Amino acid sequence: MQKKTGIGMVAVKNSGHYGLSGYYAEQAVKKNLITMIYTNAPPAVAPHGALKSLFGTNPICFGTPTGSKVPFILDTSISMINRGKIRVAARSNQKIPEGVALDKFGKPTTNAKKALEGVQLPIAGFRGSGLAWMVDILSGVLTGGNHAGKVKDPFDDFSGPQNIGHLFITFKTNLFVNNFNNRIKDNIKTIKRLPRIKGIKEIMYPGQNKYKRFKMNSKKEINISEIIKKDLKILKN
Ligand SMILES: NC(=O)c1ccc[n+]([C@@H]2O[C@H](COP(=O)([O-])OP(=O)(O)OC[C@H]3O[C@@H](n4cnc5c(N)ncnc54)[C@H](O)[C@@H]3O)[C@@H](O)[C@H]2O)c1
């Protein structure tokens, strides 16, 4: 379909946790395509005004070629921090930052265990809540997957399949203009040349920070914490 019309759209249902949206975006961008990717996830975030979690951390992902080897990939949860970070903090008895979660009574908390029992907060208040809702509609309601808080938690609920939904949209860069590469290079150059606030060395586009980290970490050893090592041993046996 994509070769003929320039646009391809794939809906997936009956799925499980697919990891990082950015991984799939990279595949599309390597083929010189723009992509938009949505997935829902188990309840973690309270809709604006609610005291109960219903939305997942529902990441929103947008990727585009940049005319350079570093792709633009905006891949972000709609929660203040992702749930994995809270789980890691809970296991290692570390505090979580202020303003990212409420306990089960609706009080702000920095206690990771209490945050897991309570609700995570969306980015930017009702705006983040609206984005989470949009992702639930696109990846759950539209695809035939679970939605409205029915996606099961892969860590705590083994009563059946998760039935997560995903939506992948990809399209060619030359649908409306034939000089996309020059236009995006110009766009990025203009933004990067803006005067910077104190302490900021470079204005980066989304994905650039992760590419830098990837390059740096590829040359280093990977340290695995004792807790993870223990888990890996249990899984191996
Ligand atoms: N499958 C699931 O259910 C699920 C749920 C939630 C999150 N996730 C995945 O977890 C991963 C992490 O999500 P996250 O919300 O913690 O992402 P994050 O906060 O690390 O990054 C969000 C975005 O901001 C960009 N960014 C970060 N610092 C920047 C800077 N200084 N300048 C410019 N851009 C910058 C990043 O490149 C990224 O695109 C994502 O890959 C996401 O897909 C998956």
Side-chain angles (χ1 to χ4, degrees), residues 16-23 39-42 56-61 73-83 85 164 166 202-210 213:
H17 191 296
Y18 75 10
L20 311 178
S21 301
Y23 171 77
T39 181
N40 59 10
T57 48
N58 295 4
I60 289 177
C61 186
I73 296 181
L74 173 69
D75 175 19
T76 180
S77 328
I78 54 67
S79 50
M80 291 294 287
I81 61 172
N82 74 50
R83 198 155 186 83
K85 282 184 188 154
I164 288 183
H166 320 301
E202 182 187 356
I203 296 171
M204 290 188 287
Y205 55 81
Q208 224 190 333
N209 63 319
K210 294 201 174 178
R213 212 179 312 147

Side-chain angles (χ1 to χ4, degrees), residues 49-219:
L51 188 52
K52 194 174 178 317
S53 296
L54 184 141
F55 298 132
T57 48
N58 295 4
I60 289 177
C61 186
F62 168 81
T64 178
T66 54
S68 85
K69 64 175 190 284
V70 187
F72 180 121
I73 296 181
L74 173 69
D75 175 19
T76 180
S77 328
I78 54 67
S79 50
M80 291 294 287
I81 61 172
N82 74 50
R83 198 155 186 83
K85 282 184 188 154
I86 302 184
R87 285 190 196 280
V88 171
R91 294 195 65 187
S92 43
N93 281 325
Q94 280 168 348
K95 282 192 169 178
I96 54 170
E98 277 176 30
V100 304
L102 308 178
D103 66 17
K104 62 181 175 191
F105 305 107
K107 279 199 178 151
T109 184
T110 54
N111 180 309
K113 284 180 187 149
K114 287 186 180 170
L116 289 175
E117 291 164 6
V119 300
Q120 283 184 244
L121 293 173
I123 49 171
F126 62 85
R127 296 180 177 90
S129 175
L131 289 172
W133 207 327
M134 175 192 84
V135 174
D136 200 37
I137 294 167
L138 287 174
S139 57
V141 179
L142 181 74
T143 61
N146 272 345
H147 60 96
K150 292 194 189 71
V151 167
K152 290 181 199 291
D153 193 311
F155 296 97
D156 308 323
D157 184 352
F158 306 114
S159 61
Q162 282 193 285
N163 190 15
I164 288 183
H166 320 301
L167 186 70
F168 301 85
I169 304 168
T170 56
F171 45 97
K172 288 182 175 172
T173 57
N174 63 356
L175 287 182
F176 307 108
V177 292
N178 55 19
N179 57 347
F180 179 84
N181 265 13
N182 288 341
R183 290 173 63 81
I184 193 149
K185 275 187 187 165
D186 185 40
N187 173 287
I188 291 173
K189 204 161 65 186
T190 307
I191 293 167
K192 279 183 160 291
R193 278 189 185 153
L194 287 176
R196 298 182 301 272
I197 56 176
K198 211 175 159 200
I200 297 287
K201 279 195 195 135
E202 182 187 356
I203 296 171
M204 290 188 287
Y205 55 81
Q208 224 190 333
N209 63 319
K210 294 201 174 178
Y211 187 82
K212 278 190 182 174
R213 212 179 312 147
F214 166 73
K215 282 281 166 201
M216 213 168 66
N217 287 343
S218 304
K219 291 182 204 142

